[in-house]
Amino acid sequence: MRIGFLGLGRMGTPMALNLCKTYPTTVWNRSASKYPALTAAGAKIGHTPAQVAQHSDVIFTMLFDAPAIQSVFDDGFTRAIRNKTIINTSSVPVEFSQQLERQILRAGGSYVEMPVSGSKVPAEQGKLVGMMAGDKAVCDRVCPHVQPLTCASVYCGPTGSGLKMKYAINAYLITMTAGLAESMSLAQAQGLDLDAFAEVLAAGPLGSAYSGLKVDKVLSGDWSAQAAIKDCYNSTQLIRAAAAAAHTQSPLVGLCGALYSQAKASGMAEDDMIAVFKVLARSAATPST
């Protein structure tokens, strides 16, 4: 089985590196700066997406958004994916994923939608959760080949269902992270020791590996992104659109979207999502009169 991988960003690089450990892997990225780590791990470089597809049986995409994905579908790539399987792991609108499936089927390929839950650390550990959707027979066929990336892969239903599941999971993730940042900001504004806050949180039922990771980042002032502010803001927009389409409410995600928008406008777009703490702490330090 030959693997192709398109998109070597914050998530794509560790995912491709894990695939390299098991399969012959060919990669492509818009910027060549990401290639050295992959070539050191044994990956081959495809100079175009079409070249990656020509040398692969299964092609993963982890590109930023729908336009970035669509941009690789030139004539050469479309011809090269005949009898190949595309697994899209990017978070995109449901309507785009369904249109992408139709486009790939017309080209003679097959399609699996598989957004993933987890940020940079789980990606590095090969412990992402894959939310698979599409033709179940195709999903079952490729399921063994996503194992280097995942601790679990769950079939969610027809195309669109994996993304809908991702929106629901991310609604919890985003509101929980913003809530944690707000809790720490409140503790600090009241003059409490944040190390003591961390100890109390970890000792109780609300403590988790995730909260511990994010609390440690605040305590150390480490804003390097595991999941970036700009990506979380983009996710809030997808979730709100999904909620509107489903005729349900998502008020907390709306509030978080405004908070992440403020953080992005303040120059924090590339910071970790817990960096919204800085927005809240700044507000606490300059109370209105």
Side-chain angles (χ1 to χ4, degrees):
M1 178 61 62
R2 303 170 302 164
I3 299 294
F5 204 100
L6 307 178
L8 301 175
R10 187 175 290 108
M11 293 289 288
T13 292
M15 291 168 71
L17 285 169
N18 281 326
L19 288 164
C20 282
K21 297 173 184 176
T22 305
Y23 298 108
T25 303
T26 305
V27 301
W28 172 85
N29 192 61
R30 285 185 173 83
S31 167
S33 63
K34 301 298 181 74
Y35 288 151
L38 273 300
T39 55
K44 295 180 179 179
I45 304 303
H47 296 294
T48 64
Q51 194 174 86
V52 171
Q54 289 163 5
H55 293 91
S56 306
D57 303 301
V58 173
I59 302 105
F60 289 84
T61 59
M62 179 48 102
L63 297 162
F64 180 67
D65 58 11
I69 296 170
Q70 192 59 57
S71 70
V72 307
F73 275 80
D74 59 16
D75 290 344
F77 185 77
T78 301
R79 287 193 299 270
I81 62 173
R82 184 173 183 80
N83 299 321
K84 311 292 176 73
T85 301
I86 309 292
I87 303 178
N88 177 39
T89 65
S90 308
S91 292
V92 295
V94 167
E95 295 76 12
F96 175 78
S97 185
Q98 293 167 337
Q99 174 260 313
L100 184 63
E101 178 181 46
R102 293 190 292 270
Q103 185 176 1
I104 291 167
L105 291 176
R106 285 197 300 269
S110 54
Y111 178 68
V112 172
E113 175 185 285
M114 195 189 78
V116 293
S117 180
S119 57
K120 183 181 176 183
V121 171
E124 291 170 344
Q125 296 170 340
K127 293 183 178 179
L128 297 167
V129 178
M131 292 160 277
M132 303 183 83
D135 185 315
K136 191 166 189 309
V138 178
C139 291
D140 288 344
R141 187 176 76 234
V142 301
C143 195
H145 309 306
V146 307
Q147 288 181 358
L149 307 177
T150 61
C151 62
S153 52
V154 180
Y155 180 72
C156 299
T159 298
S161 302
L163 286 161
K164 291 176 181 178
M165 187 69 76
K166 175 73 182 283
Y167 302 154
I169 294 296
N170 272 6
Y172 177 50
L173 170 67
I174 287 168
T175 55
M176 179 178 65
T177 305
L180 177 60
E182 185 173 328
S183 290
M184 296 190 74
S185 175
L186 175 61
Q188 180 173 269
Q190 295 179 116
L192 298 174
D193 176 38
L194 289 186
D195 287 312
F197 173 92
E199 189 174 347
V200 171
L201 179 62
L206 297 178
S208 66
Y210 180 80
S211 66
L213 190 67
K214 295 305 183 187
V215 167
D216 285 346
K217 290 182 81 63
V218 174
L219 293 178
S220 64
D222 172 17
W223 309 116
S224 60
Q226 294 161 340
I229 290 281
K230 65 177 184 181
D231 298 323
C232 291
Y233 173 74
N234 184 51
S235 187
T236 64
Q237 303 312 294
L238 291 170
I239 294 165
R240 293 185 70 188
H247 305 291
T248 190
Q249 297 185 51
S250 193
L252 295 180
V253 169
L255 290 171
C256 291
L259 184 61
Y260 281 115
S261 178
Q262 186 180 349
K264 193 159 70 87
S266 299
M268 303 178 195
E270 300 293 341
D271 288 354
D272 188 81
M273 62 190 297
I274 195 62
V276 293
F277 168 81
K278 293 190 285 183
V279 174
L280 296 165
R282 184 183 304 158
S283 298
T286 56
S288 58
T289 56

